[in-house]
Amino acid sequence: MASIDTDRMATIRGAGAAEPCDGCDVRSLAVCSGLKPDELERLEAIKSTVRYRAGDICVQEGDAAAHLFNVTAGAIKVYKLLADGRRQITGFLFAGDFLGLTLNDTYAYSAEAVTNVALCRFQRPRFEALLAEFPKLEKRLLGVASSELAAAQDQMLLLGRKTAREKVASFLLQLQRRTAQVGDSSGMVDLPMSRTDIADYLGLTTETVSRTITQLKTAGIVRLQGQGRIALARHETLRQMAEGFDPAG
Amino acid sequence: MASIDTDRMATIRGAGAAEPCDGCDVRSLAVCSGLKPDELERLEAIKSTVRYRAGDICVQEGDAAAHLFNVTAGAIKVYKLLADGRRQITGFLFAGDFLGLTLNDTYAYSAEAVTNVALCRFQRPRFEALLAEFPKLEKRLLGVASSELAAAQDQMLLLGRKTAREKVASFLLQLQRRTAQVGDSSGMVDLPMSRTDIADYLGLTTETVSRTITQLKTAGIVRLQGQGRIALARHETLRQMAEGFDPAG
DNA sequence: CGGGACTTTGAGCAAATTCAACCATTGTGG
DNA sequence: CCACAATGGTTGAATTTGCTCAAAGTCCCG
């Protein structure tokens, strides 16, 4: 559970000025991957770059869905709220991830910057026009949607059927897989988000998350490397734990 | 939790013979909606009709993803399992719903017939060839994926943050919305699935589902109409309950 | 060095689960 | 046509996991 700072609205730091796609180091991960040079140019023409500071709201549930985004740096959390403030984080987004896929003309979720972030931003009507022109882009988007859907099903399994320990183990491994995807396979994992965020992602409370991590630490399965970094020491144990094999530890 | 009858494999009742799309009464809901007559004809050419009996497995997690389906009659449950048999149902599919969207070449979930069902079946390579030809079909599929994604996020909120009572209320309303979509807005809702299925969908146990429904019945909010039918008597109360307003009932 | 936010730890509590028994409905075979 | 087994659903009591409430400990930043 969590209280949300509702009064802090988005403050766009550096707006407008588009940064060149040429030097973009997340292009291979993003929706724009696989486009031909001329297509990329057309896409670039309708793009602007926006930055948010940690804590800023990027997207607000219920607002007109005017834009689509691509995260180029930093981390974002996507979440939904209940009437009394209970929060469920449905996903964390990192560099390369896509934000804003929706059929409706309003967003069905909110998004907040976890760290300082940079995003490519596209106006929806313009983006959709390009979508109609470039089948490859549409195909890519369908791919993005499909893999998000698969991830969502995994997360439902986690939320509905896993124990606190299994949830935390799954979460750490998920972050590590993501880290490895970007190249770093050292077993060191960044935790840019707070315990409250982790709790709201896993359907737990901060206290339970904290206790569970302490348990894993005591059991020698992970090592806290101060300040939002954690080392996965016994990777295989963690993996089994995440899949529910219950090594009774 | 639930034990799965692992030994009962799919028995295709009526295979092969394609039924004409002409008279199909779910076409307006399905992926094939909005296609031009000649496009529809091409799609029909690669389609076959399959039937399963209640309890049959339609799709098995890990199997080669050879087909895509469209439900034309009956109900199907889609689920994932943990090593020890814990099950999470990620969705129920009804007439008009699509099954089989995936990027990978294996299914990431299983699907089992809840009632006797009929499905349109398409071979993946052929279907994908048509996708490339008919942008409208691809667009439609992206729409399907998007709305499934939105539903998945709602379900994550439910699983992670709602109480048993809120979960059951949400579930009943969801079924009713679906029923209303097909035309029937009488407030009567069919419950073709077992208590165990409902429990595995809501992240609860059968006992808790049963107790909760009994509570709603006692409070006069619903009426059981014997045999898998339920009447939503106090719709608004139920709606508030589902959204977490806690009318302390 | 001090203040504030976040995290950890502790103790008691409660919602939902587990285990167990009972009831209802259905389908089968004598 | 009825008895009865089988399956699924309901109810009860005890237990447990994770939550709530409370306090103390860290870390960062000015």
Side-chain angles (χ1 to χ4, degrees), chain B residues 4-69:
Chain B
I4 308 302
D5 44 354
T6 141
D7 51 2
R8 167 140 60 163
M9 287 306 292
T11 336
I12 298 177
R13 302 285 286 165
E19 288 168 16
C21 293
D22 261 356
C24 178
D25 49 347
V26 301
R27 204 166 85 225
S28 60
L29 301 169
V31 274
C32 29
S33 87
L35 290 181
K36 281 177 282 187
D38 59 315
E39 292 172 338
L40 188 61
E41 203 171 312
R42 294 280 305 281
L43 189 61
E44 191 165 1
I46 66 161
K47 168 198 126 185
S48 59
T49 301
V50 294
R51 292 169 191 284
Y52 294 97
R53 278 192 305 185
D56 286 349
I57 308 283
C58 311
V59 158
Q60 182 100 40
E61 182 173 354
D63 278 3
H67 298 105
L68 300 154
F69 304 88

Side-chain angles (χ1 to χ4, degrees), chain B residues 163-164 203-205 207-208 211:
Chain B
T163 65
L204 298 170
T205 58
E207 293 94 330
T208 300
R211 277 185 250 273

Side-chain angles (χ1 to χ4, degrees), chain B residues 28 177 224 249:
Chain B
S28 60
R177 270 193 299 274
L224 291 190

Side-chain angles (χ1 to χ4, degrees), chain A residues 164 204-205 207-208 211 227:
Chain A
L204 298 171
T205 59
E207 293 94 331
T208 299
R211 278 186 249 273
Q227 226 19 52

Side-chain angles (χ1 to χ4, degrees), chain A residues 21-37:
Chain A
C21 293
D22 261 357
C24 178
D25 49 347
V26 301
R27 206 166 83 224
S28 60
L29 300 169
V31 273
C32 28
S33 87
L35 290 182
K36 280 176 281 186

Side-chain angles (χ1 to χ4, degrees), chain B residues 7 48 50 60 65 68 76 112 121 143 151-152 159 167 181-182 199 201 209 228-229 247:
Chain B
D7 51 2
S48 59
V50 294
Q60 182 100 40
L68 300 154
I76 283 180
E112 180 185 321
R121 190 178 71 180
L159 290 169
K167 286 177 176 183
Q181 209 177 53
V182 186
Y201 181 58
V209 170
R229 282 181 80 75

Side-chain angles (χ1 to χ4, degrees), chain A residues 86-116:
Chain A
R86 276 174 288 170
R87 183 176 69 164
Q88 178 66 41
I89 293 182
T90 57
F92 291 106
L93 302 183
F94 302 97
D97 288 338
F98 193 77
L99 170 66
L101 200 59
T102 178
L103 268 184
N104 302 335
D105 45 6
T106 59
Y107 295 115
Y109 44 79
S110 304
E112 179 185 321
V114 172
T115 62
N116 291 348

